[in-house]
Structure formats: C-alpha cells, structure tokens
C-alpha cells in the first residue's frame, strides 16, 4: 500500500539551530516527492519537490531536502531556523500514473524557541 | 497570478444541516482536487476532477458528500446531512495538466459541526 510516514509529530528547536524533519514513504515505484508547509489558518505552500536528477533539492525559505532511494526517505533540512518557520510541515508523494493525486503524511509540527 | 480561491473561510453548522463550499482554481488549471484535513492529520483526497469530469472519487462518502464542476472551472463541494466527524478543513487544489503532480492549494474552509 502507498503511504507516507512522518515519525515526529512535534519537534521543538531553538532559533538559529539546525532542523531536520524526517519522511519515509512506501510506494510501488520511485514517486515524485514534496514538502509543503502550513501556517495556522492557511493552506499548504509548496516548499520543494523532487522528480528526478540531483538527489539534493533546494526550496524556498532556505529549505533543502535529500532523496535517499535506499532508505525510501526524503528528509527536510534547514541550517538555521527562524521563528517564522514555526508551522506544520507535510511530506507528500505522488506520480503522474496515479492521476497526479498526492498522499500525505500526518505532518510534523515545528515549534521554535527564542 | 491569482491563487486558488475558496469560500467561505469558516463555517459552523449543526449536525444534520447541509453546507456547501466553493473553489475557484488558478486560471487555466484543468485539474481540481478536494481534500479533507482532519485535525492532526494530513490531507486526504476526496475527489479529483479533470475539466468537468470526475477522475477519482473513490474516497468520497457518496451517501452525504457531493461535488460538481459543471463548466470545468470552479467547483462546489456539498455535505448533506453533516455529521460531527465531518468537522475538518476542506482544501481545494489545482494543477495545470492532467496527471501533473505539482498542486497549488487554496486557504481552505474550516468546518465545525456541532
């Protein structure tokens, strides 16, 4: 079955510290991979995506993610967290041969300590 | 370029009442999705339209939920009658091409059923 697992429900980091959010997936083939961010009361904003090629992808707001096929993982990183990064982060997978629909993880809530 | 528009942003109803949500996708986007996001979970696809046709409604509770996209542009999602467990954020998303997995999300409608 296709699924996405985000093992950490809630993470707290200090402002200026580095961040890594974990994402593991189960899919029939190598899917397209996404990270979205959701601020309170807002919709989902696309941070970055991986389709093919270089396994380290850069996104907006200083985020990056690395695709590791052997581990079926697509972890999100940021070298220095800002207070405005506090939000909910969702990993998602999809493929054009599945009609483009996305399967989401349950999300990781990020809190930032001053 | 205008984003995905949704209205209303918030709705509170009593159980057994009916409710409708509206979505206007990004101009020119052929594919439209409705997702349900229950508190503490990732979004789950309810229905996918390609132009004015339904591509996937396998997860739509058809005894109470209905959706239409009559002219292949904006869409309406209806719940009748609502149950307590329908309390959630209803997200609309769109993508440009059939099968394209990069989706752009609206701000969502937060439904509370009392």
């Amino acid at each position: 079955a296709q699924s996405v697992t985000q093992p950490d429900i809630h993470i707290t980091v200090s402002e200026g510290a580095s961040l890594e959010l974990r994402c593991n997936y189960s899919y029939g083939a190598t899917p397209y991979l996404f990270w979205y961010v959701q601020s309170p009361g807002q919709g989902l904003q696309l941070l970055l995506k991986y389709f093919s090629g270089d396994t380290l992808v850069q996104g907006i707001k200083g985020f990056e993610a690395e695709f590791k096929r052997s581990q079926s993982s697509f972890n999100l990183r940021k070298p220095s967290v800002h207070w405005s990064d506090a939000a909910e982060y969702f990993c998602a997978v999809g493929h054009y041969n599945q009609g483009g629909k996305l399967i989401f993880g349950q999300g990781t809530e990020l809190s930032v300590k001053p | 370029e205008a984003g995905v528009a949704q209205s209303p942003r918030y709705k509170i109803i009593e159980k057994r009442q009916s409710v409708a949500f509206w979505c206007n996708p990004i101009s020119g986007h052929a594919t439209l999705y409705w997702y349900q996001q229950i508190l503490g979970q990732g979004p789950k696809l309810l229905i996918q339209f390609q132009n004015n046709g339904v591509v996937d409604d396998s997860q739509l509770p058809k005894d109470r939920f209905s959706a239409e996209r009559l002219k292949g542009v904006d869409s309406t999602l209806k719940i009748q009658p609502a149950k307590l467990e329908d309390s959630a954020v209803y997200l609309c998303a769109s993508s440009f091409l059939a099968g394209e997995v990069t989706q752009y999300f609206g701000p969502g409608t937060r439904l509370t059923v009392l």
Side-chain angles (χ1 to χ4, degrees), chain A residues 57-90:
Chain A
V57 293
Q58 303 296 319
I60 62 172
K61 304 185 180 186
F63 285 92
E64 67 178 26
E66 185 172 13
F67 168 58
K68 292 186 177 180
R69 185 190 306 273
S70 62
Q71 298 177 18
S72 297
S73 69
F74 188 56
N75 294 349
L76 182 71
R77 301 194 294 247
K78 187 170 185 178
S80 178
V81 169
H82 188 263
W83 64 266
S84 60
D85 294 324
E88 186 103 25
Y89 291 80
F90 292 93

Side-chain angles (χ1 to χ4, degrees), chain A residues 1-113:
Chain A
Q2 300 165 348
S3 65
V4 177
T5 300
Q6 294 180 245
D8 304 304
I9 295 174
H10 187 218
I11 284 181
T12 300
V13 300
S14 297
E15 190 168 16
S18 64
L19 170 70
E20 182 169 25
L21 302 182
R22 296 182 291 164
C23 172
N24 293 95
Y25 65 88
S26 173
Y27 208 83
T30 300
Y32 302 151
L33 298 150
F34 303 82
W35 276 98
Y36 283 87
V37 60
Q38 186 177 37
S39 298
Q42 303 298 313
L44 282 80
Q45 181 183 21
L46 180 65
L47 283 177
L48 47 77
K49 60 188 177 184
Y50 172 78
F51 285 2
S52 64
D54 192 344
T55 56
L56 184 63
V57 293
Q58 303 296 319
I60 62 172
K61 304 185 180 186
F63 285 92
E64 67 178 26
E66 185 172 13
F67 168 58
K68 292 186 177 180
R69 185 190 306 273
S70 62
Q71 298 177 18
S72 297
S73 69
F74 188 56
N75 294 349
L76 182 71
R77 301 194 294 247
K78 187 170 185 178
S80 178
V81 169
H82 188 263
W83 64 266
S84 60
D85 294 324
E88 186 103 25
Y89 291 80
F90 292 93
C91 180
V93 302
H95 203 278
Y96 69 86
N97 64 9
Q98 295 293 315
K101 74 177 182 182
L102 295 177
I103 298 170
F104 286 84
Q106 76 269 35
T108 297
E109 184 181 357
L110 173 66
S111 297
V112 180
K113 292 190 301 185

